[in-house]
């Protein structure tokens, strides 16, 4: 199996939605998303989802489509041939809102200085493709591109639990450790892992 990693661009949006709607959550994961919420401010999130009549799945898809078209939602798709089988949300920390929609680790995604650090937010791999090195390939591509683009560091925020939990989408600690990331902070249920090369 030869996995190809491609940066998310508007012309790949159909592949992105095909992945999220047909392969990403086929193991009955309780969480359905389009990876759009972390690019939303608290005010944007509340305005979009406050109505009792809101269809959250439809709204989430529409928001993700707008974010992809504008370049706000960034990251990488992993392909097996022409089939998208994995995703990693990674972006310039200045692109994340200063007042994020969610509490917890999202408060650490933002930095006011652009072109300095990137944040790795989450991974989603199709169940039948897990444990085949796809998350590693995605993370390596994110780091290589950050270096080539003049960034000084990439940060990740793995959850710390005694056993895997369905929503542990930031990637496991061991993934960051084997790729040379170092712990720079610890919170109640997650760590801040950083790889710097300046």
């Amino acid at each position: 199996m030869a996995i190809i990693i491609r940066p998310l661009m508007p012309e790949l949006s159909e592949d992105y939605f095909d992945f999220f709607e047909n392969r990403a959550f086929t193991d009955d994961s309780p969480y359905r998303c389009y990876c759009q919420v972390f690019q939303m401010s608290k005010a944007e999130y509340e305005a979009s989802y406050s109505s009792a009549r809101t269809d959250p799945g439809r709204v989430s898809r529409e928001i993700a489509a707008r974010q992809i078209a504008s370049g706000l939602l960034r990251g990488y798709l992993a392909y097996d041939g022409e089939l998208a089988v994995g995703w990693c949300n990674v972006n310039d920390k200045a692109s994340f809102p200063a007042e994020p929609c969610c509490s917890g680790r999202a408060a650490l995604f933002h930095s006011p200085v652009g072109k300095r650090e990137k944040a790795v937010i989450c991974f989603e791999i199709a169940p039948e493709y897990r444990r085949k090195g796809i998350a590693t390939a995605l993370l390596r591509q994110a780091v290589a591109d950050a270096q080539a683009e003049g960034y000084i560091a990439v940060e990740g925020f793995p959850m710390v639990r005694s056993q895997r939990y369905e929503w542990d989408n930031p990637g496991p600690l061991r993934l960051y450790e084997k790729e040379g990331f170092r712990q720079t902070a610890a919170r109640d249920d997650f760590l801040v892992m950083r790889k710097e090369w300046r």
Side-chain angles (χ1 to χ4, degrees):
M1 175 180 63
I3 294 296
I4 306 246
I5 307 297
R6 296 180 179 141
L8 178 62
M9 299 290 182
E11 57 268 26
L12 298 181
S13 62
E14 288 309 309
D15 292 349
Y16 180 86
F17 289 117
D18 176 59
F19 169 67
F20 273 90
E21 292 165 2
N22 296 300
R23 280 174 300 288
F25 303 110
T26 55
D27 58 347
D28 294 323
S29 169
Y31 190 57
R32 299 291 190 272
C33 77
Y34 291 99
C35 213
Q36 81 293 342
V37 296
F38 290 118
Q39 287 74 226
M40 300 176 73
S41 69
K42 185 175 182 180
E44 289 168 335
Y45 183 86
E46 289 173 354
S48 298
Y49 294 101
S50 61
S51 170
R53 292 180 298 192
T54 296
D55 174 351
R58 179 186 56 78
V59 171
S60 297
R61 194 186 201 280
E62 290 171 357
I63 292 167
R66 287 195 302 270
Q67 290 178 351
I68 293 169
S70 71
L72 181 60
L73 177 55
R74 293 185 178 248
Y76 296 90
L77 287 165
Y79 287 81
D80 180 8
E82 294 303 309
L83 191 69
V85 297
W87 160 251
C88 178
N89 182 332
V90 56
N91 204 344
D92 189 314
K93 290 186 76 172
S95 296
F96 294 100
E99 294 184 20
C101 71
C102 315
S103 61
R105 64 189 184 96
L108 299 176
F109 298 165
H110 174 76
S111 171
V113 181
K115 293 292 287 183
R116 182 173 169 82
E117 301 164 314
K118 286 193 174 185
V120 176
I121 306 307
C122 73
F123 295 87
E124 184 60 43
I125 311 297
E128 63 272 25
Y129 283 87
R130 291 177 190 159
R131 302 193 184 283
K132 297 180 184 295
I134 294 175
T136 299
L138 286 161
L139 184 58
R140 285 179 181 165
Q141 189 67 58
V143 169
D145 285 355
Q147 289 175 316
E149 293 162 9
Y151 287 81
I152 67 162
V154 173
E155 288 185 338
F157 308 88
M159 307 300 286
V160 178
R161 304 187 201 276
S162 59
Q163 59 186 18
R164 188 180 185 281
Y165 183 61
E166 289 92 345
W167 293 4
D168 286 349
N169 55 8
L173 174 59
R174 68 184 179 278
L175 168 64
Y176 295 97
E177 289 177 331
K178 78 176 181 178
E179 292 306 309
F181 284 67
R182 301 282 182 253
Q183 180 181 326
T184 60
R187 301 295 191 267
D188 288 342
D189 60 352
F190 69 91
L191 303 174
V192 178
M193 302 295 290
R194 182 178 178 90
K195 184 166 186 173
E196 245 180 75
W197 47 82
R198 60 179 172 156

